[in-house]
Amino acid sequence: MLHRLESLKSCTYDRMDMTVLERQAARLKWQQQNHVVQNNNPAELCASSVPRFQGLVGSNLGSGQMVELKRLEVFLGTDNFQEFLNFPVTGPEFGDSEKLDLLPPEAAADYCISRTSSCQITALDTAVMKEEREDMSLEKMESTIVSGRGSFNKRKAETVADHKSKDKRIKGEGEGESEVKTKCSTEISRNSSKENSKVSEVQKPDYIHVRARRGQATDSHSLAERARREKLSKKMKCLQDLVPGCNKITGKAGMLDEIINYVQSLQRQVEFLSMKIAALNSSVENLPMKEFPAIVANFPAAAKLPEMAGLPCFQLNPLQKESVNCMLNESMHPPQTEGIASASVSISEQSLSSSSMTQLQPFSTWNMDPQGLYNMYNMGFH
Amino acid sequence: MEPWKIMQPSFAAKYVGYLVPALNNIGKQASPSVDRCIDTEKIVRYEINMALALSAEGFAWSHALKHKLRPNVDNHNHAGKSQSYLAHDDDHRNTIPVNHEPAAKKLKVDPKRSETEAAEEEEERLTYLRKLIPGGSGEMMVDDEILLSELGSYVSCLELQVNVLRSMLQFN
């Protein structure tokens, strides 16, 4: 009984895609819980352990995720447990996993157990894993939980359905893993996932027993390599948020390409703007500095531009939005000096990469009245 | 995870605080030479990069950029400064080639490429990125992870810089 629950927990953790140390800590707590509570009443055991699990995971989560966690709790605590009761109970049967043509998740876990190896992980690796644990972001947790829920439901359905081959079961779990990694997609890919997570437990202070997934090497080098790859993919996701238009791109090479393009375009823009400033500098003696506090104050506000979002005919990138917002603000103040017409035109045409100085007109010639500025602003949207 | 996003307002303030007086100083320098426009451009570019480096302390790339602009502590005089303008200028030109090859190569490659080829392509792109980011080829950013973090901060600081420059132009 305890063994089954324990292995279910391990499968749960696989779903959750926790980092190594989190799993091992949770596992340790589970074991302690199991050893301490010599309880013949399995329902109590389940119920008492779930809050612990909840507490373990929930400490990192906000209230939004607790809803998802409650579903897990139900799954672990009551529903699934009833099914457990229906399974053949005794221990020895579980060791003989080939006999089972049912598909309890424990069978898969047992299969995984056969690949267990213990390896000594160096202090460096432990430090890496610790850091990894700290780095785990809320978003990732959320996404894993949401997808974990989906895969739990699926697994539950299969459990009830019965009669599937063990191999298919393993593949199902592998698919679950890849689902978690590929942003909560609900499609099942039949390829075995490369990014299978592993469960580890601490039995001695200096040994970490690692349970590897099927088809994975278990030496310490590949473990460290895998941890490193996880970190890299995390960083890539951060970059994906940063660079606009990268949400649809999968694959490292494409992402890197986009990043390269974006960095280059930003650098070109900076160069272009610096030339404009130089031109401005040569024609005007002093740069007016009165509006600069207003510029600085506008930056936090520029991040959200709700009125811009509704304009379908004029798609602005974030930089343009920011500059247009500044224009908005300026039209409310009395116009100080030279006009901004050419700047606004060039920005709206998005032709910054071509340093066409012919577009620029001398800055010193204009005195735009508020009405003129307002017209310019409207013009940009047609 | 993204500490640099917190520093947006302070970045803008520092940037403007450095750049505007520097630009004013350029205007005040009375050196009526024929190449004044080109010099002004170079000086402006220098000051812009300097402002970027100073407003974003604590990153490897900003450190490298600062060192590129001020090669050594000794060169504080004007002659040293103009040398660093030129030096930085050449680097600046080299780092922005108009066509970059990795994208072109990507189109030719068969979609069903092997893993090693994909890894090679990634490596290619990473080395290209190293050229783009200041200090990318240095010893600080040998590690890929560090490179990616630095890229993140560099990209967001570049965005901020562009915003600031645009606003400055608009208010003039």
Side-chain angles (χ1 to χ4, degrees), chain A residues 330-354:
Chain A
E330 218 230 328
S331 64
M332 293 191 248
H333 302 295
Q336 296 289 334
T337 54
E338 287 79 0
I340 53 176
S342 76
S344 66
V345 166
S346 64
I347 287 170
S348 64
E349 287 178 6
Q350 211 174 7
S351 61
L352 290 171
S353 55
S354 64

PDB file of all heavy atoms in Angstrom, chain A residues 330-354:
ATOM      1  N   GLU A 330       3.021  65.329 -25.181  1.00  0.00           N
ATOM      2  CA  GLU A 330       3.521  66.625 -25.589  1.00  0.00           C
ATOM      3  C   GLU A 330       2.414  67.495 -26.159  1.00  0.00           C
ATOM      4  O   GLU A 330       2.439  68.698 -26.039  1.00  0.00           O
ATOM      5  CB  GLU A 330       4.629  66.456 -26.630  1.00  0.00           C
ATOM      6  CG  GLU A 330       5.733  67.454 -26.462  1.00  0.00           C
ATOM      7  CD  GLU A 330       6.076  68.171 -27.744  1.00  0.00           C
ATOM      8  OE1 GLU A 330       5.954  67.563 -28.818  1.00  0.00           O
ATOM      9  OE2 GLU A 330       6.473  69.331 -27.675  1.00  0.00           O
ATOM     10  N   SER A 331       1.469  66.859 -26.785  1.00  0.00           N
ATOM     11  CA  SER A 331       0.392  67.653 -27.353  1.00  0.00           C
ATOM     12  C   SER A 331      -0.445  68.310 -26.275  1.00  0.00           C
ATOM     13  O   SER A 331      -1.172  69.254 -26.533  1.00  0.00           O
ATOM     14  CB  SER A 331      -0.496  66.777 -28.246  1.00  0.00           C
ATOM     15  OG  SER A 331      -1.118  65.792 -27.457  1.00  0.00           O
ATOM     16  N   MET A 332      -0.339  67.793 -25.072  1.00  0.00           N
ATOM     17  CA  MET A 332      -1.095  68.415 -23.986  1.00  0.00           C
ATOM     18  C   MET A 332      -0.348  69.594 -23.395  1.00  0.00           C
ATOM     19  O   MET A 332      -0.943  70.496 -22.850  1.00  0.00           O
ATOM     20  CB  MET A 332      -1.364  67.384 -22.890  1.00  0.00           C
ATOM     21  CG  MET A 332      -2.303  66.299 -23.347  1.00  0.00           C
ATOM     22  SD  MET A 332      -2.853  65.308 -21.995  1.00  0.00           S
ATOM     23  CE  MET A 332      -2.067  63.787 -22.349  1.00  0.00           C
ATOM     24  N   HIS A 333       0.970  69.532 -23.492  1.00  0.00           N
ATOM     25  CA  HIS A 333       1.732  70.684 -22.997  1.00  0.00           C
ATOM     26  C   HIS A 333       1.878  71.700 -24.112  1.00  0.00           C
ATOM     27  O   HIS A 333       1.776  71.362 -25.282  1.00  0.00           O
ATOM     28  CB  HIS A 333       3.126  70.235 -22.560  1.00  0.00           C
ATOM     29  CG  HIS A 333       3.095  69.181 -21.506  1.00  0.00           C
ATOM     30  ND1 HIS A 333       2.601  69.416 -20.256  1.00  0.00           N
ATOM     31  CD2 HIS A 333       3.471  67.888 -21.534  1.00  0.00           C
ATOM     32  CE1 HIS A 333       2.702  68.307 -19.547  1.00  0.00           C
ATOM     33  NE2 HIS A 333       3.212  67.370 -20.289  1.00  0.00           N
ATOM     34  N   PRO A 334       2.136  72.919 -23.754  1.00  0.00           N
ATOM     35  CA  PRO A 334       2.403  73.897 -24.805  1.00  0.00           C
ATOM     36  C   PRO A 334       3.685  73.540 -25.528  1.00  0.00           C
ATOM     37  O   PRO A 334       4.670  73.215 -24.906  1.00  0.00           O
ATOM     38  CB  PRO A 334       2.541  75.228 -24.059  1.00  0.00           C
ATOM     39  CG  PRO A 334       2.756  74.856 -22.630  1.00  0.00           C
ATOM     40  CD  PRO A 334       2.098  73.542 -22.425  1.00  0.00           C
ATOM     41  N   PRO A 335       3.631  73.554 -26.812  1.00  0.00           N
ATOM     42  CA  PRO A 335       4.804  73.124 -27.568  1.00  0.00           C
ATOM     43  C   PRO A 335       5.948  74.104 -27.365  1.00  0.00           C
ATOM     44  O   PRO A 335       5.777  75.307 -27.439  1.00  0.00           O
ATOM     45  CB  PRO A 335       4.324  73.120 -29.013  1.00  0.00           C
ATOM     46  CG  PRO A 335       3.157  74.049 -29.035  1.00  0.00           C
ATOM     47  CD  PRO A 335       2.545  73.995 -27.693  1.00  0.00           C
ATOM     48  N   GLN A 336       7.092  73.573 -27.156  1.00  0.00           N
ATOM     49  CA  GLN A 336       8.212  74.402 -26.789  1.00  0.00           C
ATOM     50  C   GLN A 336       8.970  74.903 -28.009  1.00  0.00           C
ATOM     51  O   GLN A 336       9.072  76.080 -28.251  1.00  0.00           O
ATOM     52  CB  GLN A 336       9.178  73.615 -25.883  1.00  0.00           C
ATOM     53  CG  GLN A 336       8.558  73.212 -24.562  1.00  0.00           C
ATOM     54  CD  GLN A 336       8.359  74.415 -23.660  1.00  0.00           C
ATOM     55  OE1 GLN A 336       9.061  75.405 -23.776  1.00  0.00           O
ATOM     56  NE2 GLN A 336       7.399  74.316 -22.766  1.00  0.00           N
ATOM     57  N   THR A 337       9.510  73.986 -28.731  1.00  0.00           N
ATOM     58  CA  THR A 337      10.411  74.414 -29.806  1.00  0.00           C
ATOM     59  C   THR A 337      10.089  73.696 -31.104  1.00  0.00           C
ATOM     60  O   THR A 337       8.964  73.598 -31.506  1.00  0.00           O
ATOM     61  CB  THR A 337      11.869  74.118 -29.419  1.00  0.00           C
ATOM     62  OG1 THR A 337      11.962  72.755 -29.087  1.00  0.00           O
ATOM     63  CG2 THR A 337      12.284  74.982 -28.261  1.00  0.00           C
ATOM     64  N   GLU A 338      11.147  73.136 -31.677  1.00  0.00           N
ATOM     65  CA  GLU A 338      11.045  72.646 -33.033  1.00  0.00           C
ATOM     66  C   GLU A 338      10.042  71.521 -33.155  1.00  0.00           C
ATOM     67  O   GLU A 338       9.644  70.893 -32.200  1.00  0.00           O
ATOM     68  CB  GLU A 338      12.419  72.122 -33.504  1.00  0.00           C
ATOM     69  CG  GLU A 338      13.409  73.212 -33.779  1.00  0.00           C
ATOM     70  CD  GLU A 338      14.022  73.736 -32.507  1.00  0.00           C
ATOM     71  OE1 GLU A 338      13.650  73.232 -31.432  1.00  0.00           O
ATOM     72  OE2 GLU A 338      14.836  74.646 -32.569  1.00  0.00           O
ATOM     73  N   GLY A 339       9.668  71.275 -34.396  1.00  0.00           N
ATOM     74  CA  GLY A 339       8.615  70.310 -34.640  1.00  0.00           C
ATOM     75  C   GLY A 339       9.131  68.884 -34.611  1.00  0.00           C
ATOM     76  O   GLY A 339      10.315  68.623 -34.598  1.00  0.00           O
ATOM     77  N   ILE A 340       8.186  68.020 -34.620  1.00  0.00           N
ATOM     78  CA  ILE A 340       8.512  66.600 -34.540  1.00  0.00           C
ATOM     79  C   ILE A 340       7.964  65.869 -35.739  1.00  0.00           C
ATOM     80  O   ILE A 340       7.862  64.661 -35.738  1.00  0.00           O
ATOM     81  CB  ILE A 340       7.941  65.990 -33.268  1.00  0.00           C
ATOM     82  CG1 ILE A 340       6.439  66.297 -33.185  1.00  0.00           C
ATOM     83  CG2 ILE A 340       8.633  66.562 -32.060  1.00  0.00           C
ATOM     84  CD1 ILE A 340       5.778  65.654 -32.010  1.00  0.00           C
ATOM     85  N   ALA A 341       7.573  66.601 -36.728  1.00  0.00           N
ATOM     86  CA  ALA A 341       6.844  65.976 -37.837  1.00  0.00           C
ATOM     87  C   ALA A 341       7.678  64.915 -38.525  1.00  0.00           C
ATOM     88  O   ALA A 341       7.244  63.812 -38.752  1.00  0.00           O
ATOM     89  CB  ALA A 341       6.428  67.048 -38.830  1.00  0.00           C
ATOM     90  N   SER A 342       8.897  65.279 -38.866  1.00  0.00           N
ATOM     91  CA  SER A 342       9.686  64.310 -39.607  1.00  0.00           C
ATOM     92  C   SER A 342       9.988  63.099 -38.755  1.00  0.00           C
ATOM     93  O   SER A 342      10.027  61.980 -39.230  1.00  0.00           O
ATOM     94  CB  SER A 342      10.970  64.957 -40.096  1.00  0.00           C
ATOM     95  OG  SER A 342      11.863  65.090 -39.017  1.00  0.00           O
ATOM     96  N   ALA A 343      10.192  63.333 -37.489  1.00  0.00           N
ATOM     97  CA  ALA A 343      10.463  62.200 -36.602  1.00  0.00           C
ATOM     98  C   ALA A 343       9.272  61.265 -36.572  1.00  0.00           C
ATOM     99  O   ALA A 343       9.402  60.059 -36.666  1.00  0.00           O
ATOM    100  CB  ALA A 343      10.804  62.696 -35.206  1.00  0.00           C
ATOM    101  N   SER A 344       8.077  61.850 -36.443  1.00  0.00           N
ATOM    102  CA  SER A 344       6.903  60.993 -36.354  1.00  0.00           C
ATOM    103  C   SER A 344       6.674  60.264 -37.664  1.00  0.00           C
ATOM    104  O   SER A 344       6.297  59.110 -37.680  1.00  0.00           O
ATOM    105  CB  SER A 344       5.673  61.820 -35.986  1.00  0.00           C
ATOM    106  OG  SER A 344       5.383  62.709 -37.041  1.00  0.00           O
ATOM    107  N   VAL A 345       6.909  60.921 -38.758  1.00  0.00           N
ATOM    108  CA  VAL A 345       6.694  60.261 -40.047  1.00  0.00           C
ATOM    109  C   VAL A 345       7.661  59.102 -40.208  1.00  0.00           C
ATOM    110  O   VAL A 345       7.294  58.016 -40.616  1.00  0.00           O
ATOM    111  CB  VAL A 345       6.870  61.275 -41.196  1.00  0.00           C
ATOM    112  CG1 VAL A 345       6.993  60.557 -42.526  1.00  0.00           C
ATOM    113  CG2 VAL A 345       5.676  62.218 -41.229  1.00  0.00           C
ATOM    114  N   SER A 346       8.892  59.365 -39.869  1.00  0.00           N
ATOM    115  CA  SER A 346       9.870  58.292 -40.064  1.00  0.00           C
ATOM    116  C   SER A 346       9.584  57.126 -39.137  1.00  0.00           C
ATOM    117  O   SER A 346       9.765  55.992 -39.505  1.00  0.00           O
ATOM    118  CB  SER A 346      11.283  58.819 -39.853  1.00  0.00           C
ATOM    119  OG  SER A 346      11.430  59.247 -38.517  1.00  0.00           O
ATOM    120  N   ILE A 347       9.120  57.425 -37.955  1.00  0.00           N
ATOM    121  CA  ILE A 347       8.834  56.334 -37.031  1.00  0.00           C
ATOM    122  C   ILE A 347       7.638  55.535 -37.516  1.00  0.00           C
ATOM    123  O   ILE A 347       7.629  54.315 -37.486  1.00  0.00           O
ATOM    124  CB  ILE A 347       8.568  56.896 -35.623  1.00  0.00           C
ATOM    125  CG1 ILE A 347       9.886  57.372 -35.005  1.00  0.00           C
ATOM    126  CG2 ILE A 347       7.938  55.848 -34.736  1.00  0.00           C
ATOM    127  CD1 ILE A 347       9.714  58.139 -33.751  1.00  0.00           C
ATOM    128  N   SER A 348       6.636  56.240 -37.996  1.00  0.00           N
ATOM    129  CA  SER A 348       5.447  55.507 -38.398  1.00  0.00           C
ATOM    130  C   SER A 348       5.716  54.695 -39.648  1.00  0.00           C
ATOM    131  O   SER A 348       5.091  53.682 -39.880  1.00  0.00           O
ATOM    132  CB  SER A 348       4.288  56.470 -38.625  1.00  0.00           C
ATOM    133  OG  SER A 348       4.613  57.330 -39.709  1.00  0.00           O
ATOM    134  N   GLU A 349       6.628  55.120 -40.461  1.00  0.00           N
ATOM    135  CA  GLU A 349       6.938  54.335 -41.653  1.00  0.00           C
ATOM    136  C   GLU A 349       7.891  53.198 -41.334  1.00  0.00           C
ATOM    137  O   GLU A 349       8.108  52.317 -42.139  1.00  0.00           O
ATOM    138  CB  GLU A 349       7.558  55.233 -42.723  1.00  0.00           C
ATOM    139  CG  GLU A 349       6.554  56.159 -43.378  1.00  0.00           C
ATOM    140  CD  GLU A 349       7.239  57.053 -44.383  1.00  0.00           C
ATOM    141  OE1 GLU A 349       8.435  56.855 -44.613  1.00  0.00           O
ATOM    142  OE2 GLU A 349       6.577  57.938 -44.919  1.00  0.00           O
ATOM    143  N   GLN A 350       8.499  53.256 -40.210  1.00  0.00           N
ATOM    144  CA  GLN A 350       9.376  52.184 -39.757  1.00  0.00           C
ATOM    145  C   GLN A 350      10.507  51.944 -40.740  1.00  0.00           C
ATOM    146  O   GLN A 350      10.826  50.822 -41.086  1.00  0.00           O
ATOM    147  CB  GLN A 350       8.575  50.903 -39.544  1.00  0.00           C
ATOM    148  CG  GLN A 350       9.158  50.054 -38.441  1.00  0.00           C
ATOM    149  CD  GLN A 350       8.293  48.883 -38.130  1.00  0.00           C
ATOM    150  OE1 GLN A 350       7.314  48.630 -38.813  1.00  0.00           O
ATOM    151  NE2 GLN A 350       8.647  48.153 -37.099  1.00  0.00           N
ATOM    152  N   SER A 351      11.064  53.005 -41.186  1.00  0.00           N
ATOM    153  CA  SER A 351      12.149  52.871 -42.136  1.00  0.00           C
ATOM    154  C   SER A 351      13.452  53.278 -41.487  1.00  0.00           C
ATOM    155  O   SER A 351      14.281  53.940 -42.082  1.00  0.00           O
ATOM    156  CB  SER A 351      11.885  53.748 -43.347  1.00  0.00           C
ATOM    157  OG  SER A 351      11.818  55.106 -42.928  1.00  0.00           O
ATOM    158  N   LEU A 352      13.598  52.867 -40.276  1.00  0.00           N
ATOM    159  CA  LEU A 352      14.769  53.340 -39.552  1.00  0.00           C
ATOM    160  C   LEU A 352      16.046  52.695 -40.039  1.00  0.00           C
ATOM    161  O   LEU A 352      17.119  53.220 -39.843  1.00  0.00           O
ATOM    162  CB  LEU A 352      14.588  53.057 -38.062  1.00  0.00           C
ATOM    163  CG  LEU A 352      13.525  53.930 -37.414  1.00  0.00           C
ATOM    164  CD1 LEU A 352      13.267  53.441 -36.023  1.00  0.00           C
ATOM    165  CD2 LEU A 352      13.967  55.362 -37.398  1.00  0.00           C
ATOM    166  N   SER A 353      15.932  51.526 -40.601  1.00  0.00           N
ATOM    167  CA  SER A 353      17.161  50.850 -41.002  1.00  0.00           C
ATOM    168  C   SER A 353      17.818  51.572 -42.154  1.00  0.00           C
ATOM    169  O   SER A 353      19.029  51.580 -42.282  1.00  0.00           O
ATOM    170  CB  SER A 353      16.852  49.406 -41.379  1.00  0.00           C
ATOM    171  OG  SER A 353      15.843  49.408 -42.364  1.00  0.00           O
ATOM    172  N   SER A 354      17.049  52.160 -42.987  1.00  0.00           N
ATOM    173  CA  SER A 354      17.644  52.929 -44.077  1.00  0.00           C
ATOM    174  C   SER A 354      17.923  54.327 -43.584  1.00  0.00           C
ATOM    175  O   SER A 354      17.023  55.070 -43.214  1.00  0.00           O
ATOM    176  CB  SER A 354      16.682  52.971 -45.249  1.00  0.00           C
ATOM    177  OG  SER A 354      15.517  53.670 -44.882  1.00  0.00           O
TER     178      SER A 354
END
